[in-house]
Amino acid sequence: MAKIQPPKGTRDLYPLEAARRRWLCERWRAVAIRHGFEEVDGPTFETTDLYAVKSGEGILGELFQAFSGKDPREVEQIREGRPAPYALRPEFTPTLARMYAQKARTLPAPCRWFQIGPFFRAERPQRGRLREFLQWNVDLLGDASERADAEIIACCIAFLESCGLTSEQCTVRVCDRDVLAEVLEEVGLRDERAQEAALRVLDKRGKVPPDVLHRLASEAGFDIEQFDALCIKRSRSADVQGRFADLDPHWIRWDWSIVRGLAYYTGTVFEVVADGERAVAGGGRYDNLIELFGGPPTPAVGFAMGDVVISLLLQDKGLMPDEKELLDEIGARPDAFVLSADPALDDRVNSVLRDLRHAGLHARRTSRQTRNVGKLLKEASQQHAKAAVILESLEEASVKWLDAAGKQERVPIAELVAYLLSHARSDGSGPRA
RNA sequence: GUGGCCGUAGCUCAGUUGGUCAGAGCACCUGGUUGUGGUCCAGGAUGUCGCGGGUUCGAAUCCCGUCGGUCACCCCA
């Protein structure tokens, strides 16, 4: 039988990778909760119509479409080349807007929500971009103030800092669609379509040589030098200067080339950028989207961060914890590895194992035949167990702590659970000297 | 959707102009007979050389196709 390969752009997560994913998600979650956001989630697939609301053409092409196959009309629909009735969610915002609109009357205002889960885009995979990925969405609905923008950005920065990233390694580039629109008007672009074309050009800044940028701008009907001059003047304005005064200025940089696509942003837009990687996170204000989804007019601001790029960045900077730290942080390190050199104590190993587990401890034993204590200790430390429990007799054990100090103590088996629990409570790394 | 590069054991790769080229290291498994931890010995398993077709006396090696990976473009909600 031919080998069945995983679908393009997906990942198989073996224990170490799965531990990394859990570590990342738990860190996302912890930061969001600490900042006062509540976790929500929606379905991983929605009706295709939901995604068609705000954008008819391009986006639909990169949706993973789905249908139940139970309804002949669905099958017919596909056969005729029309979009399938469902689509795997490519982003969370439409779901969020739908959920909020449904219950807007009963929800507190402002509403602070975050979500973590898988998303899907039928794109061609490349560095930092896969077809299935995890995303962390943080949104603040019902607060039009600039402070709300700042809070969202603060949450994002807090996460970066908690990973050990510094403002030398990545920065938050901020811009404002309204301000951009005003400047574009000043250079003579009044109607929306012309401005959209101009934004497309501005997005190219840094990706194409200056002369090409100049030419593209001319084709879009404006002069890039004039635009830049106006931006410089604007940059000195109180509006730009005073913005986000509460945030650590090291992280924040105003950047006129941040336009965040052309989608639904209305005011502040921002991206977390790092050298050599595509955007680590992105977000902004979307004040008319909830209304678009049938809800009451509701100002909103939020951002999303994918797991792919941030993982690459942490990997590159050496900030991804090693296996032991990962297991430690997600609480997956064995508390005890039970062994004995004496085959006659095999049954006792099992009963001790049972007692430890019953007490809520993570306990393991070898599944190998050897009674070679050296090998078993090696196995224990390879599994990053905190302690090895070496049974000496039916009543007594030696507990060897598998940290650098390697302290070892004789403990009656009857007191083993209490002994291990007391040390697990302290700091998990063994007895204090 | 378009283009560049790549595809040999679980992993990283070697394989010279087609002719002992099916290999190395790491990892893994089993021991080292009475017991102290990642770097020690000794053994061991593992590959339709991505897949399919073609050229040839002979293909991991050359050609075509295909699938997958990767990087870039488009796009980035």
Side-chain angles (χ1 to χ4, degrees):
Chain A
M1 192 172 101
K3 269 186 201 166
I4 297 177
Q5 294 172 312
K8 185 201 293 281
T10 62
R11 295 166 288 184
D12 291 334
L13 269 46
Y14 291 89
L16 179 59
E17 291 99 55
R20 289 204 186 103
R21 164 178 285 200
R22 273 185 62 195
W23 173 83
L24 180 65
C25 290
E26 288 184 14
R27 189 153 289 225
W28 275 344
R29 183 169 286 117
V31 171
I33 288 173
R34 193 185 304 151
H35 284 248
F37 293 87
E38 293 182 292
E39 185 161 8
V40 298
D41 206 348
T44 49
F45 66 97
E46 292 272 8
T47 54
T48 304
D49 295 341
L50 183 71
Y51 302 113
V53 166
K54 72 169 198 293
S55 46
E57 333 80 49
I59 289 170
L60 252 64
E62 294 192 323
L63 286 178
F64 268 109
Q65 298 183 31
F67 66 103
S68 70
K70 301 289 184 196
D71 185 341
R73 282 172 302 181
E74 285 181 354
V75 181
E76 187 58 27
Q77 190 174 334
I78 311 289
R79 210 166 267 146
E80 287 171 3
R82 304 209 310 275
Y86 306 107
L88 304 189
R89 62 182 178 190
E91 58 167 330
F92 191 62
T93 310
T95 299
L96 178 94
R98 184 178 61 68
M99 286 170 65
Y100 184 85
Q102 263 172 35
K103 295 215 172 191
R105 288 176 190 287
T106 65
L107 290 169
C111 197
R112 307 162 66 94
W113 283 353
F114 80 94
Q115 179 273 350
I116 293 166
F119 292 85
F120 311 86
R121 297 179 187 177
E123 299 177 297
R124 192 145 172 188
Q126 56 186 282
R127 183 175 176 84
R129 189 203 277 184
L130 298 172
R131 288 184 158 190
E132 180 185 27
F133 52 94
L134 249 43
Q135 206 171 66
W136 177 41
N137 289 276
V138 182
D139 292 274
L140 211 171
L141 302 104
D143 187 339
S145 73
E146 218 163 74
R147 204 196 53 213
D149 298 23
E151 266 198 69
I152 283 290
I153 295 174
C155 181
C156 185
I157 292 173
F159 169 79
L160 299 172
E161 283 178 334
S162 92
C163 292
L165 285 163
T166 67
S167 53
E168 267 103 65
Q169 292 165 325
C170 60
T171 52
V172 181
R173 304 294 177 97
V174 184
C175 193
D176 187 303
R177 291 288 282 266
D178 293 336
V179 178
L180 269 177
E182 286 169 26
V183 176
L184 286 173
E185 268 189 42
E186 287 184 58
V187 298
L189 300 175
R190 297 199 176 281
D191 75 277
E192 216 169 291
R193 192 161 297 178
Q195 290 198 357
E196 277 192 12
L199 290 177
R200 232 179 251 282
V201 173
L202 294 176
D203 195 36
K204 290 267 188 284
R205 193 191 293 272
K207 295 172 191 164
V208 299
D211 57 310
V212 175
L213 189 70
H214 183 95
R215 185 172 51 77
L216 290 172
S218 301
E219 285 168 13
F222 71 105
D223 182 82
I224 191 78
E225 274 83 23
Q226 189 193 355
F227 175 85
D228 288 345
L230 286 168
C231 284
I232 289 169
K233 199 196 285 180
R234 278 277 188 165
S235 298
R236 300 202 187 93
S237 73
D239 176 33
V240 169
Q241 287 288 319
R243 216 178 261 226
F244 311 128
D246 292 344
L247 298 175
D248 181 347
H250 294 294
W251 283 96
I252 308 292
R253 275 174 62 180
W254 194 274
D255 185 335
W256 295 99
S257 67
I258 298 297
V259 301
R260 294 293 303 153
L262 298 165
Y264 42 67
Y265 292 109
T266 52
T268 300
V269 286
F270 69 95
E271 267 177 21
V272 176
V273 304
D275 280 346
E277 301 291 353
R278 62 184 68 245
V280 175
R285 183 160 278 286
Y286 50 101
D287 282 345
N288 46 33
L289 198 64
I290 302 292
E291 202 175 354
L292 199 62
F293 282 93
T298 308
V301 58
F303 76 91
M305 179 184 294
D307 72 311
V308 183
V309 179
I310 187 66
S311 296
L312 286 170
L313 185 62
L314 293 175
Q315 217 85 263
D316 286 352
K317 303 296 181 192
L319 293 169
M320 185 63 83
D322 64 24
E323 188 172 18
K324 188 171 170 182
E325 288 176 89
L326 280 174
L327 293 177
D328 215 17
E329 291 201 36
I330 64 180
R333 270 182 78 189
D335 296 303
F337 191 94
V338 184
L339 61 102
S340 172
D342 185 354
L345 292 174
D346 277 0
D347 289 343
R348 194 66 177 124
V349 168
N350 289 331
S351 71
V352 168
L353 206 61
R354 216 169 38 237
D355 291 345
L356 297 185
R357 287 171 176 169
H358 189 70
L361 289 161
H362 175 173
R364 296 187 182 185
R365 58 160 297 163
T366 189
S367 54
R368 300 197 291 170
Q369 295 304 307
T370 183
R371 297 304 190 315
N372 184 317
V373 172
K375 289 199 168 191
L376 295 175
L377 284 174
K378 178 176 169 180
E379 186 181 354
S381 75
Q382 275 178 336
Q383 296 188 15
H384 307 294
K386 292 173 191 169
V389 173
I390 308 164
L391 302 191
E392 308 290 358
S393 67
L394 287 171
E395 288 84 32
E396 194 172 42
S398 293
V399 176
K400 185 180 177 72
W401 293 94
L402 297 172
D403 50 17
K407 188 177 175 182
Q408 187 164 331
E409 293 181 283
R410 301 280 273 205
V411 179
I413 289 176
E415 295 168 22
L416 202 52
V417 165
Y419 174 83
L420 289 172
L421 277 175
S422 70
H423 289 302
R425 294 273 157 70
S426 60
D427 67 355
S429 64
R432 296 184 191 280

